Amino acid sequence: MKHILKILALLVAISACWIGLLQASVIPESYTWLLPLYFIVSLGCYGVLMVGVGLMQFPTCPQEALLLHQDILEAKDFLKNKGVDVGSN
Amino acid sequence: MGNEQKENSNKYSIIIPTYNERLNIALLVYLIFKHLPNVNFEISVVDDGSPDGTQDIVKQLQSVYGEDRILLRARPKKLGLGTAYIHGLKHASGNFVVIMDADLSHHPKYLPNFIKKQMETGADIVTGTRYVKGGGVHGWNLMRKLTSRGANVLAQTLLWPGVSDLTGSFRLYRKSVLEDVIGSCVSKGYVFQMEMIVRATRKGYNIAEVPITFVDRVYGSSKLGGSEIVEYLKGLIYLLLTT
């Protein structure tokens, strides 16, 4: 099944729940009408939170630049001895 | 544990698209040979007519390491990444294929990890991820990290891709799987990498991940402008609707 159909099915299920709530009048109607808005805002806040958390925990590796530099020196040395032209670009 | 000593009878074809990577390709080849001492592999350099003499360097490397270990698959001009992989796949004699960048942002020291992960899990694809513990990025400023993280959250929410790093291009594929997936991909650039992994997920292939570190060496040049963000969003919508 195409992915978009899965998402649409999910939205249809959520809409059905929402309409059911409207009919059943378990919650005051004025509140129920606003539920989709609350849902979208919560989704947005969750997204922003995930971006923020991910940004704070973003894995960095400063030591890798140094290791790479050493690898480059080692490689240049070996290749020069084997006759490969390793002058810079 | 028995796995480490098990004979690895697989052959790995490492496909590296190049354009003006005269120095980097030599360094990369040295590092690959250094980190895969007991592995049966070949390196396939797909060069798009580099004006800086990359192909001459590849020929010098062939005389050092052997023409059976380093293949030069030249093309007349820049023809795109997807077709570069397809070009490299023809005449690739391995049963597994590794794709990686030529600019040393992908370090060959992780190649044994890819191979080990694949043998342990029997995965069809092993993809390198920069975004988990053990992985990482160096050389990105805050803005770049922000856009990367934002793009990732958006893609995860919309596509449910099952991998943590969608745009990464350091991957190990079972050759038959790569041939199958690449045939159905039409995007360009990094959206192409996303399309590959999403289509593979949709087709039910077994995908494993290994952490990798990524050293961005294009310091100071902003690779993410407004037009790139628009391209990315268009790519996301396209993938949302067609996969």
Side-chain angles (χ1 to χ4, degrees):
Chain A
M1 195 204 313
K2 281 235 192 294
H3 181 68
I4 185 72
L5 294 178
K6 273 195 220 159
I7 296 205
L8 287 175
L10 190 63
L11 288 176
V12 165
I14 293 177
S15 306
C17 288
W18 177 57
I19 293 172
L21 275 176
L22 276 176
Q23 307 278 23
S25 302
V26 173
I27 306 169
E29 244 186 56
S30 53
Y31 185 67
T32 316
W33 276 108
L34 288 173
L35 272 180
L37 189 63
Y38 293 150
F39 176 67
I40 293 172
V41 170
S42 319
L43 202 61
C45 288
Y46 177 74
V48 171
L49 187 71
M50 286 287 97
V51 172
V53 166
L55 198 59
M56 284 197 304
Q57 294 178 333
F58 207 106
T60 57
C61 49
Q63 74 286 358
E64 291 294 330
L66 186 63
L67 289 173
L68 181 61
H69 184 70
Q70 290 168 346
D71 280 332
I72 290 174
L73 291 177
E74 179 188 319
K76 277 188 176 175
D77 200 46
F78 176 88
L79 291 167
K80 217 178 292 188
N81 287 337
K82 294 278 182 176
V84 179
D85 177 13
V86 285
S88 27
N89 286 2
Chain B
M1 195 55 228
N3 269 351
E4 266 72 54
Q5 284 80 40
K6 191 156 68 174
E7 266 298 307
N8 186 357
S9 57
N10 297 310
K11 182 168 182 183
Y12 300 87
S13 296
I14 305 175
I15 300 180
I16 307 173
T18 60
Y19 188 75
N20 282 349
E21 298 286 5
R22 177 195 174 87
L23 175 58
N24 287 335
I25 192 63
L27 305 175
L28 184 61
V29 166
Y30 168 79
L31 289 171
I32 291 175
F33 275 91
K34 177 181 173 186
H35 288 282
L36 291 181
N38 300 311
V39 173
N40 186 9
F41 70 90
E42 64 185 3
I43 299 175
S44 196
V45 179
V46 182
D47 183 73
D48 284 358
S50 297
D52 73 346
T54 300
Q55 293 183 23
D56 296 328
I57 298 296
V58 175
K59 291 183 186 139
Q60 289 179 20
L61 291 167
Q62 282 177 318
S63 62
V64 174
Y65 291 103
E67 281 182 20
D68 57 328
R69 307 304 298 278
I70 302 181
L71 314 174
L72 175 58
R73 310 279 301 132
R75 302 200 299 176
K77 57 180 179 139
K78 269 192 171 195
L79 291 171
L81 201 57
T83 50
Y85 293 146
I86 292 173
H87 192 70
L89 271 175
K90 292 183 213 166
H91 312 287
S93 59
N95 56 333
F96 284 93
V97 176
V98 172
I99 61 162
M100 60 193 299
D101 288 352
D103 62 359
L104 293 177
S105 54
H106 295 152
H107 200 298
K109 66 184 173 189
Y110 295 106
L111 287 170
N113 294 0
F114 278 87
I115 292 173
K116 181 154 164 259
K117 188 75 174 187
Q118 191 286 321
M119 291 183 80
E120 279 170 4
T121 60
D124 300 306
I125 303 177
V126 180
T127 178
T129 169
R130 299 162 285 183
Y131 300 143
V132 301
K133 190 152 168 264
V137 178
H138 176 75
W140 283 4
N141 59 14
L142 187 64
M143 201 57 207
R144 183 70 182 83
K145 286 183 197 169
L146 179 64
T147 42
S148 158
R149 185 62 194 162
N152 207 310
V153 167
L154 193 58
Q156 296 287 341
T157 309
L158 287 179
L159 295 176
W160 311 351
V163 296
S164 59
D165 188 347
L166 274 164
T167 55
S169 51
F170 194 1
R171 296 182 182 153
L172 166 68
Y173 291 84
R174 201 183 294 276
K175 183 162 158 215
S176 53
V177 172
L178 180 58
E179 285 166 340
D180 179 27
V181 174
I182 209 166
S184 35
C185 291
V186 298
S187 313
K188 311 257 179 278
Y190 53 82
V191 179
F192 170 74
Q193 301 294 354
M194 284 169 57
E195 187 176 7
M196 294 260 275
I197 207 75
V198 170
R199 290 210 186 274
T201 306
R202 302 286 183 251
K203 286 179 188 245
Y205 285 119
N206 180 358
I207 304 176
E209 292 192 304
V210 298
I212 56 164
T213 55
F214 182 93
V215 178
D216 196 333
R217 304 181 69 216
V218 191
Y219 292 117
S221 95
S222 166
K223 285 152 91 178
L224 276 195
S227 66
E228 250 123 353
I229 294 181
V230 167
E231 284 306 307
Y232 177 77
L233 292 174
K234 278 160 65 175
L236 265 190
I237 307 279
Y238 166 78
L239 289 178
L240 181 62
L241 296 176
T242 62
T243 61

